[in-house]
Amino acid sequence: GNAFTFRSNLNAPRGKLLRLDVTDASKYNRPETWEVVLEEQREEDGKEGRDVLEWARALEGDTLVCCYLKNARHILQLRSLESGDLVRTFDELPVGSVAGFTGGREDSECFLKLTGFTSPGAIWRIDTSSGAEARAELFRETELDCGSYKPEDLVTEQVFVKSKDGTEVPMFIIGPKESVGELKGSGDGPPGAALLYAYGGFNISLTPSFSPSRLAWILGYGSVMAIANLRGGGEYGEEWHKAGTKLRKQNVFDDFQACGEHLISEGYCSADKLAIEGGSNGGLLVGACLNQRPDLFACGIAHVGVMDMLKFHKFTIGHAWCTEYGCSESDEYFEYLLGISPLHNVPAEPGTTYPSTMVLTGDHDDRVVPLHSLKFIAELQYQQILSILENGEEPVQTNPLVARIETRAGHGAGKPTKKVIQQNADVYSFVAAATSTPWVLADK
């Protein structure tokens, strides 16, 4: 036909659908005059909704399948292509991310791949010809060759944590049944360790995904994994992203610290067994939070982090990040960036014990150049140990402060499997040692 339907963010940062009749030349280059098929999401009570329209696919007849990002997970809806009216939401789908979708304009049937935290993925089939009676049915599931492990052995829970300014921040928590969910606290002894991961920047959403290494941490150490969806990401659209950029970057750190406090206060882990991890922009997050709350964390893992917030724009592609962080050459941003830069805010007070810290970088990283990690670990070791010795005092720092430098490696993408395995083994064994967490899988 002559009608084309587009996803647009024009005056709709979370996305809407517009339709254009291409035979009407008067509407060319005037999207404000196009027909609105599906408005940007709004809450039923009149307040703005926060669901993000990720994509939409037209199938046979008056059938439209829409994928929304709702509270950091994907949901699928069946709608009318003509009017955009909702037919039904496929609530039977488990918590996960849509990693693939197949179905065309001539098809009434479609297939989608859904991945989650505890399973590498499953194919689901939907026959839309029955309209409101359509159901998603499990078609094929990838099975893990992992001993007696079954995905149902673990629980995935989503909580909403109040940050410093009252903003609710979603967080996924994955772990054994005795540590997460309705049976939390039913195991023997006090809560164990938790590893909290986040990114919080560049409009990147952390949706459910499968990670063999994280599964090894949960099963091998009987511990909890938490994924926090901080401001700065794209989980609730562009407004959520902007709330964690430039002069509001501290919001991201506040969100992360609030999530850590929640894990302890709600009994997911012991107070001395909380570790944090992040990479690149997430490495900045880890470095800043270790500086601001050394009392809260037992351990920090900072992969290829942006640690020098005053000079990042001077090296390789760093100048492109000024739209996210601001730039220290501007009077507007200098003092603010100085106040959050991990390199420039390492605690120097006598008697302060810094959490166990591993800083990781690659000697050929041309995105976040190694100098960020190397300068940060040098400053850590100087402030916590050498400067105190120079003053004739005895350092109280006993927690390790180390750097892991991968040779012939870059920012992370494309790293050989062997190196990935070696790195994960080093990271998780370091976290386990820092939190006094024993390996338990062999005992089961």
Side-chain angles (χ1 to χ4, degrees):
N2 299 321
F4 284 70
T5 304
F6 302 89
R7 180 191 179 279
S8 171
N9 62 2
L10 178 66
N11 301 320
R14 286 177 296 279
K16 63 183 178 181
L17 293 183
L18 301 178
R19 181 170 294 141
L20 169 68
D21 184 342
V22 295
T23 63
D24 186 353
S26 67
K27 294 187 177 181
Y28 290 0
N29 298 320
R30 297 176 60 204
E32 69 278 0
T33 66
W34 298 359
E35 176 190 357
V36 178
V37 179
L38 182 58
E39 290 278 9
E40 183 183 25
Q41 276 279 15
R42 294 289 190 274
E43 295 285 357
E44 292 181 358
D45 62 1
K47 295 180 181 178
E48 268 194 1
R50 300 199 295 176
D51 298 354
V52 179
L53 177 62
E54 295 260 293
W55 52 261
R57 299 287 187 274
L59 300 185
E60 184 182 51
D62 187 34
T63 304
L64 183 69
V65 176
C66 295
C67 179
Y68 279 95
L69 182 59
K70 183 180 182 66
N71 293 329
R73 55 169 290 192
H74 285 148
I75 62 168
L76 242 62
Q77 294 181 346
L78 189 63
R79 290 180 173 269
S80 164
L81 176 60
E82 178 64 29
S83 65
D85 291 342
L86 178 65
V87 177
R88 75 173 302 262
T89 299
F90 295 101
D91 295 320
E92 62 270 24
L93 292 171
V95 174
S97 303
V98 177
F101 182 89
T102 301
R105 194 70 179 93
E106 311 255 332
D107 304 318
S108 63
E109 184 180 61
C110 62
F111 295 85
L112 62 109
K113 180 180 180 181
L114 199 69
T115 63
F117 291 114
T118 60
S119 172
I123 305 297
W124 292 75
R125 173 185 175 273
I126 302 175
D127 184 353
T128 64
S129 61
S130 56
E133 302 301 316
R135 293 291 182 272
E137 301 174 348
L138 182 62
F139 182 74
R140 183 170 297 172
E141 188 170 14
T142 302
E143 294 185 357
L144 283 172
D145 183 11
C146 188
S148 61
Y149 167 73
K150 296 178 182 179
E152 53 267 27
D153 294 339
L154 301 179
V155 176
T156 299
E157 181 181 6
Q158 188 177 39
V159 298
F160 294 86
V161 179
K162 280 197 174 182
S163 190
K164 185 177 182 179
D165 62 358
T167 300
E168 287 195 341
V169 179
M171 177 170 62
F172 292 105
I173 307 173
I174 312 98
K177 294 179 180 179
E178 63 269 19
S179 301
V180 180
E182 295 180 357
L183 299 179
K184 182 182 68 177
S186 62
D188 298 330
L195 180 57
L196 172 61
Y197 178 90
Y199 186 76
F202 292 90
N203 203 29
I204 293 174
S205 303
L206 296 184
T207 59
S209 62
F210 182 73
S211 167
S213 61
R214 290 175 184 166
L215 186 64
W217 162 258
I218 295 170
L219 296 178
Y221 292 102
S223 298
V224 166
M225 185 79 205
I227 312 292
N229 302 106
L230 316 179
R231 279 174 284 186
E235 287 84 357
Y236 293 113
E238 185 58 21
E239 294 174 1
W240 186 258
H241 167 222
K242 288 182 177 178
T245 64
K246 296 182 178 177
L247 299 178
R248 292 187 282 181
K249 190 64 179 176
Q250 182 61 42
N251 286 338
V252 186
F253 309 149
D254 291 340
D255 292 354
F256 200 45
Q257 292 163 29
C259 288
E261 291 172 336
H262 181 89
L263 290 172
I264 294 172
S265 65
E266 296 301 313
Y268 292 98
C269 70
S270 299
D272 59 346
K273 293 182 180 294
L274 175 60
I276 54 175
E277 182 181 19
S280 198
N281 174 77
L284 157 64
L285 171 69
V286 170
C289 288
L290 289 176
N291 285 347
Q292 293 178 9
R293 290 295 307 275
D295 60 305
L296 180 60
F297 309 110
C299 177
I301 305 294
H303 301 260
V304 293
V306 184
M307 301 302 191
D308 186 347
M309 296 300 287
L310 299 186
K311 293 184 178 180
F312 68 82
H313 60 287
K314 294 180 177 291
F315 303 97
T316 61
I317 194 60
H319 61 86
W321 312 334
C322 292
T323 56
E324 184 81 7
Y325 300 138
C327 180
S328 63
E329 293 183 7
S330 164
D331 292 341
E332 179 184 8
Y333 293 110
F334 179 84
E335 290 296 335
Y336 188 83
L337 291 175
L338 178 62
I340 64 172
S341 176
L343 175 64
H344 300 90
N345 289 278
V346 173
E349 297 84 5
T352 299
T353 300
Y354 207 82
S356 299
T357 302
M358 177 182 282
V359 174
L360 298 92
T361 188
D363 66 348
H364 282 68
D365 190 343
D366 61 356
R367 179 170 297 185
V368 180
V369 292
L371 65 84
H372 285 277
S373 296
L374 301 180
K375 289 165 68 175
F376 180 64
I377 196 66
E379 181 71 5
L380 267 181
Q381 293 173 349
Y382 177 75
Q383 292 293 353
Q384 295 300 314
I385 300 172
L386 296 179
S387 67
I388 297 173
L389 290 173
E390 288 175 354
N391 291 329
E393 301 176 9
E394 190 66 26
V396 298
Q397 180 72 27
T398 57
N399 296 327
L401 308 172
V402 301
R404 186 185 189 278
I405 305 167
E406 190 73 75
T407 58
R408 301 176 65 188
H411 197 60
K415 186 178 292 183
T417 301
K418 182 179 180 180
K419 285 193 173 186
V420 172
I421 293 172
Q422 291 172 338
Q423 175 176 299
N424 287 332
D426 289 346
V427 166
Y428 292 133
S429 58
F430 183 84
V431 173
T435 58
S436 301
T437 303
W439 180 266
V440 299
L441 187 62
D443 298 331
K444 292 185 177 180

